[in-house]
Amino acid sequence: MRSIRRQVLAWVLGFLVLALLIMMVVSYQRALHEIEEIFDAELAQAAKLVGKLVLADIDSKGTVFTVDSDLNKSVRHKYEKYIGYQVWHRDSLMLKSAGVPDQALGMRAGFQDVAIASQQWRVYGLYLKGSDYRIFTAEEVVGRKELSWYFAVESLGVMFWAIPLFALIIALTVDRGLRPLKRLSEQVSDRDINQLRPVVGDHTPKELKPLVNALNGLLERLDTAISRERRFTTDASHELRTPLSAIRLHSQLAMRAEDLEESSRSLKKVLQAVDQSTHMVEQLLVLARLSPESGQVEFEDVDLTDICRKVSEQLTQAAGEKHIRIATEYPAAGSVVVNSNPHLLHTIFRNLLDNAIRYSPADSEIRCRLSRTDGELAVSIQDNGPGIPEHLLEQVQERFARLAG
């Protein structure tokens, strides 16, 4: 399983180590250059010092003096370097330090790199003005490299000790930065299906705000869907209870009937209750599938005159049983097109017209009218039923509400 913490630590530490290595290489190159400059400056200073302090003691007869500087290594400082020198008068070697060859270290004034007896030397030549004296100070290149490498290893050791410290600091920082995500995870995992309230995000970092908002949106949609299912279950159980009770009652009456006519009346009532139940189930299924809360409602161009005509034809038989006439009136322009859902419109027209037929007296007329006035479309279904009292208008608009009588 992938871990954000491990990935962040791996990437950060990897780039940190890479950056430190690059810095070490660059720093080593720059330090090496500066060390070379310092060492060269020391050679020049040593040559000038020899020129000022030693020449006065050279034997005028040309005897070569060797100044012993080969000290015990145990008493030398770890940063101490060996610098050899020669003093020449014309072509005669007048003075030199121990360990320096007898041949001339250099051939000209200034800095130069020479190879003597398979050894590489960095040499500085000083020609004293107004005299025939030449002074050469020299240092073996191997010694310079050893000291430079010693400095580099010391720096590298410090850097390798610093990497674990940086790793610990980065790990603690990452853990602290991921705490809001951990708290959010715990807050969500502690919930059950009945706890769909929004996640509190007052102290949530702005990087987690989109996640919290998306999660709250999902919880809100889930709560809406569960509430819709609960309402559907409640409505279905409530609406189906009445026709099912009627079916049971009339079935029992038909079984107890003493003659064929009484049994036939009870069975007819059973069929009516079955038809009512079938119609109710169809309405419930349509409502569940096409409820705006389900998010599945699709809109298209719908001809209202066509829907009104089809619904009227479907209910003609029910209206004829009560000798009710259905009259339709359409605009002179012909078709009336609106952008809506045809299934929902069909259900609305059918319910209104079915209620009009159900509660209108026999031998009456129901008028279905479509009219357009000032660009507005009006749909009305008028009947001669008892009507709805004004104080019950709000109640009748509830889902599956039915008033007594």
Side-chain angles (χ1 to χ4, degrees), residues 258-317:
E258 298 180 355
D259 54 26
L260 185 60
E261 182 178 355
E262 183 179 354
S263 176
S264 178
R265 286 198 301 270
S266 297
L267 291 176
K268 186 176 181 180
K269 295 291 185 180
V270 170
L271 291 177
Q272 291 177 352
V274 170
D275 292 339
Q276 182 181 357
S277 300
T278 302
H279 178 62
M280 184 64 63
V281 169
E282 290 177 353
Q283 286 187 316
L284 288 172
L285 293 177
V286 170
L287 182 62
R289 186 175 70 253
L290 298 177
S291 172
E293 299 167 350
S294 67
Q296 299 180 2
V297 180
E298 298 180 356
F299 291 86
E300 59 184 73
D301 291 337
V302 183
D303 187 356
L304 288 182
T305 59
D306 184 57
I307 291 181
C308 185
R309 186 179 298 108
K310 288 181 179 179
V311 172
S312 300
E313 293 175 356
Q314 292 173 358
L315 297 178
T316 298
Q317 182 178 355

Side-chain angles (χ1 to χ4, degrees), residues 54-234:
V54 181
L55 291 184
D57 297 329
I58 295 178
D59 187 89
S60 59
K61 297 181 179 180
T63 303
V64 178
F65 291 90
T66 300
V67 181
D68 186 11
S69 61
D70 190 12
L71 299 177
N72 191 339
K73 294 184 178 180
S74 63
V75 298
R76 293 177 60 183
H77 193 277
K78 62 180 179 179
Y79 293 148
E80 184 178 348
K81 308 183 300 301
Y82 174 73
I83 298 178
Y85 56 88
Q86 291 177 338
V87 178
W88 290 79
H89 182 262
R90 296 179 182 173
D91 295 329
S92 300
L93 178 61
M94 307 302 295
L95 183 66
K96 72 169 186 174
S97 60
V100 175
D102 293 336
Q103 64 185 89
L105 291 175
M107 301 301 296
R108 65 180 185 276
F111 292 101
Q112 51 202 296
D113 294 315
V114 298
I116 301 175
S118 71
Q119 291 181 332
Q120 293 291 330
W121 295 80
R122 180 68 170 171
V123 179
Y124 176 75
L126 177 63
Y127 285 43
L128 297 180
K129 295 181 179 180
S131 69
D132 294 327
Y133 286 101
R134 294 174 296 157
I135 301 173
F136 296 100
T137 53
E139 182 181 5
E140 288 189 74
V141 176
V142 174
R144 288 191 173 197
K145 291 183 177 179
E146 289 179 353
L147 191 56
S148 300
W149 180 248
Y150 177 80
F151 290 153
V153 170
E154 288 290 323
S155 302
L156 186 62
V158 174
M159 195 168 298
F160 275 116
W161 277 106
I163 289 177
L165 178 61
F166 286 147
L168 178 60
I169 295 175
I170 292 173
L172 294 177
T173 304
V174 170
D175 287 340
R176 185 175 182 85
L178 291 178
R179 283 181 185 176
L181 186 60
K182 184 178 181 181
R183 288 197 298 266
L184 177 62
S185 176
E186 292 174 351
Q187 187 177 359
V188 174
S189 62
D190 290 341
R191 299 184 176 211
D192 55 28
I193 193 64
N194 297 317
Q195 294 178 325
L196 298 177
R197 62 184 183 276
V199 175
V200 179
D202 296 337
H203 302 288
T204 302
K206 64 179 182 179
E207 290 81 5
L208 289 180
K209 282 291 185 181
L211 176 61
V212 173
N213 294 336
L215 182 60
N216 288 337
L218 177 62
L219 292 175
E220 182 180 0
R221 293 192 297 272
L222 183 60
D223 185 45
T224 301
I226 293 176
S227 300
R228 178 169 55 87
E229 297 299 330
R230 288 174 178 170
R231 286 199 303 271
F232 174 77
T233 303
T234 303

Side-chain angles (χ1 to χ4, degrees), residues 351-370:
N351 286 344
L352 291 175
L353 196 56
D354 180 71
N355 286 336
I357 295 173
R358 188 185 302 274
Y359 298 108
S360 293
D363 299 319
S364 61
E365 181 181 82
I366 298 174
R367 187 175 300 240
C368 180
R369 175 185 301 168
L370 303 180

